[in-house]
Amino acid sequence: MRIDVVTIFPGYLAPLREALLGRAIGSGLLDVAVHDLRDWTHDVHQAVDDSPYGGGPGMVMRPQVWGDALDAVLAADERPARLVVPTPAGRPFTQADAHAYAAEERLVFACGRYEGIDQRVVDHYADALPVDEISIGDYVLVGGEVAVLVVVEAVARLLPGVLGNPRSAAEDSFSDGLLEGPSYTRPEVWRDRPVPDVLRSGNHGAIARWRRDRALERTVARRPDLLAALPPDALDKKDRAL
Ligand SMILES: NC(=O)c1ccno1
């Protein structure tokens, strides 16, 4: 997979080259290119924004600069791309989206700043390729860069060969529609808090049941919306008896 990121702060994306993602890049599982939007400005001030039509606070990012940048970045590789624009006004980015993006050959991320990118940029490219305006949560960041780090990590860890144990991704929170339950490791007792006996019983059936029950409890308590979204046959009799 190739990932391109267009931003006015390339340094914000430096963490992409650390740890797990850095190893994925190093092993050729992931190809990441970060581009400075200002490289496509032509004035001495390298202006990327202007005041909004209709008035209002803040500045809007200029379509000309974004058009020149995205034309050049998209033309740099013949693989089909999906353009992803993080914005607080986007639809929620979910684990299902992470799986869908992991199947893409190429993702191009446009990092907006200020009050965002002139809407005509999204409208223009939506005529030529898939374009997603996505949000990583109901809060406003200063720009799209941090959201890109979140999305790229959520996607890259799903690529075959990136995680040491592929079962990790298969047993993630949300993989079965529920939140993951609690995890424990050594020592058996820590500050007078013991590991639940069932986890040391060696009874795999009882352990699986216990884990499912804890996942259901946690989902009911923290994310009842996920439970409501489950397909009718997702919960068995034992689940419902909880
Ligand atoms: N909530 C978000 O995804 C976001 C992106 C940029 N600013 O906020």
Side-chain angles (χ1 to χ4, degrees), residues 8-9 12 59-61 111-117 142-145:
I8 59 172
F9 291 114
Y12 243 101
M59 302 291 272
V60 176
M61 300 190 93
C111 297
R113 287 252 147 185
Y114 315 113
E115 294 303 309
I117 302 171
V142 180
E145 288 81 4

Side-chain angles (χ1 to χ4, degrees), residues 86-88 134-144 147:
T87 166
I134 53 108
S135 169
I136 61 166
D138 292 342
Y139 38 77
V140 182
L141 303 169
V142 180

Side-chain angles (χ1 to χ4, degrees), residues 61-91:
M61 300 190 93
R62 300 169 59 218
Q64 309 95 314
V65 184
W66 273 106
D68 290 349
L70 290 175
D71 285 353
V73 168
L74 287 166
D77 191 300
E78 78 288 346
R79 281 174 283 190
R82 175 178 296 273
L83 176 62
V84 181
V85 184
T87 166
R91 67 169 176 75

Side-chain angles (χ1 to χ4, degrees), residues 211-235:
R211 283 177 167 162
R212 175 80 174 175
D213 288 348
R214 299 300 76 71
L216 283 162
E217 283 170 355
R218 185 174 274 188
T219 307
V220 167
R222 298 178 184 176
R223 291 294 304 275
D225 58 301
L226 292 178
L227 222 56
L230 286 176
D233 60 351
L235 299 179

Side-chain angles (χ1 to χ4, degrees), residues 89-110:
R91 67 169 176 75
F93 175 76
T94 66
Q95 187 70 9
D97 293 313
H99 281 283
Y101 286 7
E104 296 279 357
E105 291 186 62
R106 190 182 182 200
L107 296 172
V108 176
F109 289 90

